[in-house]
Amino acid sequence: MTDVEKVAEAPGQPIPGQTKTEAQLDKGWSKSAEGRALFWIAVAFSAFQVFTAMFSPLASEIVRSVHVGFLMVMVFGVASTVTDNKTAKIILWALGILGFVLGLYHWVFYEDLILRAGEPNTIDIVVGVVVVVMVFEAGRRMMGPMLPIICAIFLSYGLFGQYFPSPLNTRGYDFGQVVDQMFLGTEGIYGIPVYVSSTYIFLFILFGAFLEKAGMINLFNDIAMGTVGHARGGPAKVAVISSGLMGTINGSGIANVVTVGQFTIPLMKRFGYPAYFAGAVEATSSMGGQIMPPVMGAVAFIMAETINVPYSTVCIAAIVPAVLYYYSAFWAVHLEAGKRGLMGLSKDQTPNPIKALVKNWYLLMPLAALVMLLFAGYTPLFAGTVGLGLTVMVIFSHPIVAAIPVQVLRVGFWIVLGISAAFFFEYGVWLLITMVLALMAVTVFVKGGPATLRIALDSLADGARHALPVGVACALVGTIIGTLTLTGAATNFVRVIVSVGEHSIFLSLCLTAITSLILGMGIPTIPNYIITSSIAAPALLHLGVPLIVSHMFVFYFGIMADLTPPVALAAFAAASIAKESGFKIGWTAVKIALPGWIVPFMAVYSPALMLQPVGTRVEAYGFAFAAAYMIVKAVIAVTLWGVTAIGYFLRPVGWPERIIAFLSAVLLVLEYPWTDPIGFVCCGAFVAYQIWRGREAKPAMTTAA
């Protein structure tokens, strides 16, 4: 039985904050008729997305509409599997099929809709109302009531804004105009979020699904175990590194927790870490996957499209904060291990990372090609298509290589395959398709070939399954974008933040961060970013914060919200594995991630930390010096905040010392002429005191002995 088929027939019990539909979706496809139907619908969904990405045969509006149609039939189909009521099943499947059929509306009437743009007829309005209502219901079933309620508030503002008190009131809009905005144009549910979901996001999720099936998880675990498994607190460090590496290919915090966490959390518990701390380490490390290049979370693609910059530019801005985030987690588990006296695995229990790379080096080929293409200036759609094609070729090549008896010939096969794939740039997508089909044909006749073909089929279904929550969130949150663009409501919030920022930009940043955190406690990262960036990022830009830095600031705190109780899905996902309270894991994760919270503030005051060549220090000393200086300062500040959070450095740290370490870090974050020198002096004094106390303790121990 394949991984995709391993699912119980009874509905899964959702973790707190998770709906029954989402819990069932996480389990995979059942062996029932419904489960098999959903499996093949998911395969068709992935095939449609790959085909349109390769050939672009349809207009963008049509692709978006069909994309949402597939989302509807899958959401309501999955929802039907969590009930035993036959009538409810019939109704849910009928809704799903209706949603898919209405997703074809833009395809069938594409030219007519263009000709009557801005003047919808009665049928347009009726269909639009039905689709919008179905999107809301799909969002409720997939993510719970919070996001649909927030979106409904915005939508009601568009409908009844003329009755609001000044200055919140609008001029009033006709019902047909609101429906036109939400359904027929590209500002509502078929706006930028769904455009990105139906192109970049889906391809990269599919890319990650194929790599996971190819064995990338095992390779990353072997590398992490071999490099740090034997060090102090090794099992927890393995979790940090494994999740960070997995984050480079899937960009999903929950997916990281449930895949890597199955291995790392029990390992940490076995070596002495409390269950709540083990779960918190995995949750913290997994959430960083959304900001870890090259394959960041879905928000990064939406951000690139929103601010009209290449995806590689977003990756460049994210790389230093991502490394600092994982350094803060790594540092926290190192300190906790020292505090508890926890050692690592013995050398004979850890794999050899070099041997693991030598054995499975070919798995890195698609990832390397993806990075090269992204930073060479190719679009994410092109890079994702090539990366996906290479991954499929690697999967189909594996049983063929296993059948070759001579090692030299095996190496030669990989070299020939790589050179052949390089001609893709000259001969285009048809060469890629021809190579995949040829490898598939050969695979059928070698040992393990049929199982490999099944893996590829399962990967197609898994890709659609993982993309479902993202796509539904993008469609639903489009109603907010539509309302904001229709009414211009974002300007009111901008005025508030700007008025506060005239007196203190720090208070404006805090207000924006709190907004992101509060929103993130009830909705996923994607709608959180879209809402907050739409209303707060323009205000930060007006206050002089660079565009990409303001959006990264909002993005960063949206991720932090996913770790913050009461709604912290990553923590609750870890709780199901750690067998511990999700709230306890969530608050511990906040403590572990605490050092990383200073990075967005530092980047606002000195954008060189995000490798942006702007700011007073860049003008005075040059970009290279400014960036290096900020990185060093950030590492020191994160280190001190880690000491503050854990209460250990070279020895246990009491509260007076923790306060000094905290204040030293704060001084390094602030950008006044006098703060850096004082911060460095305080930092040096703290370290010197720790060393002196450590030496003082050794003679005392010797005398006692």
Side-chain angles (χ1 to χ4, degrees):
M1 187 182 299
T2 62
D3 290 339
V4 120
E5 293 174 317
K6 292 177 181 176
V7 60
E9 294 299 318
Q13 291 299 315
I15 60 177
Q18 190 180 42
T19 65
K20 290 183 179 180
T21 302
E22 190 175 8
Q24 181 69 9
L25 186 68
D26 287 345
K27 292 177 63 181
W29 317 108
S30 69
K31 294 182 292 182
S32 66
E34 285 182 304
R36 302 314 300 165
L38 286 167
F39 176 85
W40 288 109
I41 291 171
V43 171
F45 191 8
S46 292
F48 170 78
Q49 295 293 165
V50 172
F51 181 78
T52 54
M54 283 185 168
F55 299 105
S56 299
L58 301 171
S60 176
E61 292 87 345
I62 296 174
V63 174
R64 302 181 204 190
S65 179
V66 176
H67 179 79
V68 173
F70 268 114
L71 294 174
M72 294 299 100
V73 69
M74 287 191 65
V75 169
F76 288 108
V78 173
S80 75
T81 63
V82 301
T83 178
D84 294 324
N85 188 304
K86 291 184 178 181
T87 303
K89 284 180 178 291
I90 293 172
I91 293 173
L92 287 169
W93 273 107
L95 287 173
I97 294 170
L98 176 64
F100 179 78
V101 171
L102 295 182
L104 304 177
Y105 190 79
H106 282 69
W107 193 348
V108 175
F109 300 104
Y110 179 67
E111 293 182 358
D112 295 336
L113 292 175
I114 291 177
L115 292 175
R116 59 173 182 263
E119 298 179 357
N121 60 27
T122 303
I123 296 177
D124 294 337
I125 293 175
V126 171
V127 172
V129 170
V130 173
V131 170
V132 170
V133 170
M134 291 187 68
V135 168
F136 270 83
E137 176 61 13
R140 185 191 70 82
R141 289 185 176 275
M142 182 55 61
M143 289 164 288
M146 184 59 70
L147 180 58
I149 289 173
I150 293 174
C151 292
I153 291 172
F154 276 86
L155 186 58
S156 64
Y157 181 68
L159 290 169
F160 309 111
Q162 65 269 33
Y163 303 113
F164 280 54
S166 180
L168 298 177
N169 60 317
T170 68
R171 65 176 179 83
Y173 302 94
D174 180 69
F175 182 77
Q177 186 178 2
V178 175
V179 174
D180 179 73
Q181 178 82 354
M182 298 301 160
F183 173 66
L184 295 176
T186 56
E187 298 290 344
I189 61 176
Y190 302 131
I192 287 179
V194 161
Y195 164 68
V196 178
S197 173
S198 64
T199 51
Y200 316 148
I201 293 175
F202 197 101
L203 267 187
F204 278 79
I205 290 176
L206 198 57
F207 172 73
F210 270 92
L211 274 182
E212 287 184 28
K213 290 290 185 182
M216 188 63 88
I217 295 177
N218 293 332
L219 175 60
F220 284 163
N221 282 342
D222 286 346
I223 292 173
M225 286 282 288
T227 51
V228 299
H230 60 279
R232 185 171 81 179
K237 293 176 180 177
V238 168
V240 174
I241 293 180
S242 294
S243 298
L245 291 173
M246 278 301 298
T248 64
I249 65 169
N250 68 14
S252 170
I254 303 300
N256 267 2
V257 171
V258 299
T259 52
V260 181
Q262 296 284 355
F263 163 73
T264 58
I265 292 176
L267 184 66
M268 284 187 275
K269 290 172 64 176
R270 181 156 58 91
F271 276 80
Y273 283 100
Y276 69 87
F277 190 84
V281 168
E282 184 56 50
T284 304
S285 304
S286 293
M287 290 312 302
Q290 296 185 69
I291 58 171
M292 176 58 76
V295 183
M296 301 167 64
V299 171
F301 296 101
I302 297 173
M303 184 191 302
E305 197 67 32
T306 301
I307 64 179
N308 195 27
V309 299
Y311 176 71
S312 57
T313 301
V314 177
C315 288
I316 291 171
I319 186 65
V320 172
V323 172
L324 287 171
Y325 179 91
Y326 277 103
Y327 166 69
S328 72
F330 194 89
W331 178 239
V333 301
H334 179 79
L335 295 177
E336 186 72 19
K339 184 178 179 181
R340 296 179 179 273
L342 302 177
M343 303 307 294
L345 301 160
S346 61
K347 271 285 189 181
D348 59 354
Q349 291 180 293
T350 58
N352 187 318
I354 303 300
K355 288 183 178 179
L357 282 172
V358 170
K359 182 181 178 182
N360 299 297
W361 62 272
Y362 57 87
L363 291 176
L364 299 176
M365 289 169 53
L367 192 59
L370 179 72
V371 174
M372 182 193 73
L373 291 173
L374 286 174
F375 285 89
Y378 291 93
T379 65
L381 191 61
F382 178 85
T385 303
V386 174
L388 179 60
L390 290 175
T391 306
V392 174
M393 285 195 290
V394 165
I395 290 176
F396 286 153
S397 298
H398 189 263
I400 298 174
V401 172
I404 299 175
V406 183
Q407 180 65 26
V408 175
L409 294 178
R410 293 179 181 179
V411 175
F413 175 87
W414 287 118
I415 293 174
V416 171
L417 187 68
I419 294 173
S420 301
F423 282 101
F424 168 76
F425 294 97
E426 183 174 349
Y427 296 104
V429 69
W430 283 110
L431 175 63
L432 194 66
I433 294 173
T434 302
M435 292 180 65
V436 169
L437 291 176
L439 290 169
M440 187 186 303
V442 176
T443 300
V444 173
F445 300 101
V446 300
K447 184 179 179 180
T452 301
L453 294 176
R454 181 66 192 188
I455 287 174
L457 198 62
D458 289 347
S459 298
L460 285 172
D462 272 358
R465 181 165 61 88
H466 294 321
L468 193 54
V470 176
V472 172
C474 287
L476 184 54
V477 84
T479 58
I480 294 178
I481 302 298
T483 301
L484 293 177
T485 54
L486 180 67
T487 63
T491 55
N492 292 321
F493 192 82
V494 169
R495 290 194 198 101
V496 174
I497 293 183
V498 170
S499 63
V500 172
E502 289 175 351
H503 302 92
S504 172
I505 190 172
F506 179 76
L507 291 179
S508 291
L509 293 174
C510 289
L511 181 60
T512 304
I514 291 170
T515 302
S516 293
L517 288 171
I518 292 175
L519 280 174
M521 289 181 186
I523 60 178
T525 308
I526 295 170
N528 182 5
Y529 163 76
I530 293 172
I531 296 170
T532 314
S533 66
S534 299
I535 59 180
L540 297 180
L541 179 65
H542 184 83
L543 293 171
V545 181
L547 181 62
I548 194 168
V549 175
S550 63
H551 279 257
M552 287 296 292
F553 183 91
V554 170
F555 179 23
Y556 212 99
F557 278 97
I559 291 172
M560 292 300 172
D562 279 344
L563 294 173
T564 308
V567 182
L569 285 183
F572 284 108
S576 64
I577 303 172
K579 311 300 181 186
E580 181 57 271
S581 165
F583 287 98
K584 194 171 184 179
I585 289 176
W587 289 119
T588 306
V590 169
K591 185 176 74 170
I592 293 173
L594 185 64
W597 291 47
I598 66 172
V599 174
F601 284 91
M602 295 185 74
V604 168
Y605 288 116
S606 186
L609 186 61
M610 288 187 178
L611 304 183
Q612 303 301 303
V614 294
T616 56
R617 191 172 281 112
V618 172
E619 296 173 0
Y621 303 105
F623 171 67
F625 174 83
Y629 178 80
M630 284 304 303
I631 291 172
V632 170
K633 194 168 73 159
V635 168
I636 296 173
V638 167
T639 301
L640 291 172
W641 273 36
V643 171
T644 304
I646 303 300
Y648 187 87
F649 186 47
L650 302 177
R651 47 176 292 281
V653 177
W655 277 107
E657 296 169 79
R658 291 168 84 165
I659 292 173
I660 293 173
F662 173 79
L663 293 177
S664 301
V666 171
L667 289 170
L668 293 176
V669 172
L670 299 175
E671 282 289 322
Y672 294 103
W674 52 272
T675 53
D676 280 4
I678 297 177
F680 284 125
V681 169
C682 291
C683 173
F686 170 78
V687 173
Y689 180 73
Q690 277 277 302
I691 294 173
W692 176 72
R693 287 294 304 271
R695 289 179 177 176
E696 186 181 58
K698 286 182 180 179
M701 292 174 63
T702 304
T703 303

